[in-house]
Amino acid sequence: MVAVWVVMVVSAIGVAGAGFFGCFTPLLSQQQEEGLAIEILLVDGQPVTLGDVNAGTEGWMRQFNSAPTPDFDFQISAIVLNQLIDQKLLSNMATAKGITVTREQILAKKSDEIDSAIRDFRLQAIQQADLKENATEQEFQKYFQEKNGQSTADYKQRLIDEVTTQLGNPEVLRGQMNQYARQALEESFARTAQVSDDEV
């Protein structure tokens, strides 16, 4: 039952969630970083490290916000490993096709994701009747400030600054490049694919 529930929730949230939230983990000491750099498996020549798994797992756990159990931990770990294997394979596929994901593109994607999270926050406030459906931007900003102690602009800048700092770590940068490889491949394919009327 736990397995089915976890898979259903993950499908509803989408696989991008772990990567986004996982990027905002606290900065680690050198000793901790060395421990997390331990390779646990290779996927088509690319290493999957303990840090990769921990970051993905912590990201999902923050979203579920529930007390961990052995079964739940196992299911989340299996999902994260599956995602990481998928990312490594897609990254190699992108490299083979000459497609690269740059640091600037990663920051642009994060910016879009933060904007989307802010919009979702507003929709949730309306659904909970904490904010009027026709609330002005000024009213929303006041509500956001009360709930989060900062404006949406300051909130976004703080997260962007955190991401920028994290991307200074080559391991984090590599992981984020792998994460967005699928999207880069899809965008490349969409630009070049030709579909005939018969295929449609």
Side-chain angles (χ1 to χ4, degrees):
M1 183 63 182
V2 173
V4 174
W5 179 79
V6 170
V7 171
M8 289 176 63
V9 174
V10 168
S11 299
I13 295 175
V15 298
F20 175 64
F21 288 101
C23 191
F24 302 119
T25 54
L27 293 175
L28 303 171
S29 68
Q30 183 177 354
Q31 185 177 8
Q32 288 174 311
E33 286 184 350
E34 289 173 357
L36 294 180
I38 294 173
E39 296 179 10
I40 57 176
L41 67 137
L42 283 174
V43 180
D44 197 19
Q46 283 211 56
V48 173
T49 67
L50 182 60
D52 293 332
V53 177
N54 282 358
T57 301
E58 289 171 7
W60 282 118
M61 287 301 189
R62 278 197 291 275
Q63 293 182 67
F64 287 116
N65 193 29
S66 59
T69 64
D71 285 346
F72 188 79
D73 284 347
F74 176 80
Q75 291 300 321
I76 293 296
S77 296
I79 290 166
V80 169
L81 279 171
N82 188 54
Q83 291 175 346
L84 289 169
I85 291 169
D86 189 45
Q87 287 174 10
K88 304 295 181 180
L89 292 173
L90 287 169
S91 175
N92 282 0
M93 187 185 299
T95 300
K97 291 181 175 294
I99 299 170
T100 58
V101 179
T102 67
R103 175 191 174 99
E104 289 70 28
Q105 288 172 322
I106 293 170
L107 287 171
K109 299 294 185 187
K110 296 298 183 187
S111 177
D112 291 342
E113 290 171 5
I114 295 168
D115 289 339
S116 179
I118 292 171
R119 287 193 296 271
D120 290 344
F121 182 85
R122 176 175 181 140
L123 287 174
Q124 185 178 23
I126 291 172
Q127 291 169 355
Q128 294 175 343
D130 292 335
L131 194 66
K132 295 181 297 184
E133 188 170 355
N134 61 346
T136 65
E137 180 62 21
Q138 184 177 4
E139 289 172 330
F140 171 63
Q141 288 294 333
K142 180 181 178 182
Y143 174 80
F144 192 93
Q145 179 85 35
E146 291 172 352
K147 293 296 182 180
N148 299 283
Q150 56 188 160
S151 67
T152 55
D154 290 340
Y155 169 80
K156 179 176 179 177
Q157 188 59 55
R158 177 175 62 80
L159 293 185
I160 290 294
D161 289 344
E162 290 179 11
V163 173
T164 302
T165 300
Q166 291 277 345
L167 292 180
N169 182 325
E171 290 297 312
V172 174
L173 179 60
R174 176 179 57 82
Q176 291 298 299
M177 291 172 72
N178 287 343
Q179 179 188 325
Y180 290 107
R182 176 193 292 274
Q183 194 169 352
L185 279 169
E186 291 174 350
E187 290 171 353
S188 175
F189 181 78
R191 288 194 299 268
T192 58
Q194 305 238 345
V195 182
S196 68
D197 291 340
D198 289 341
E199 289 173 318
V200 172

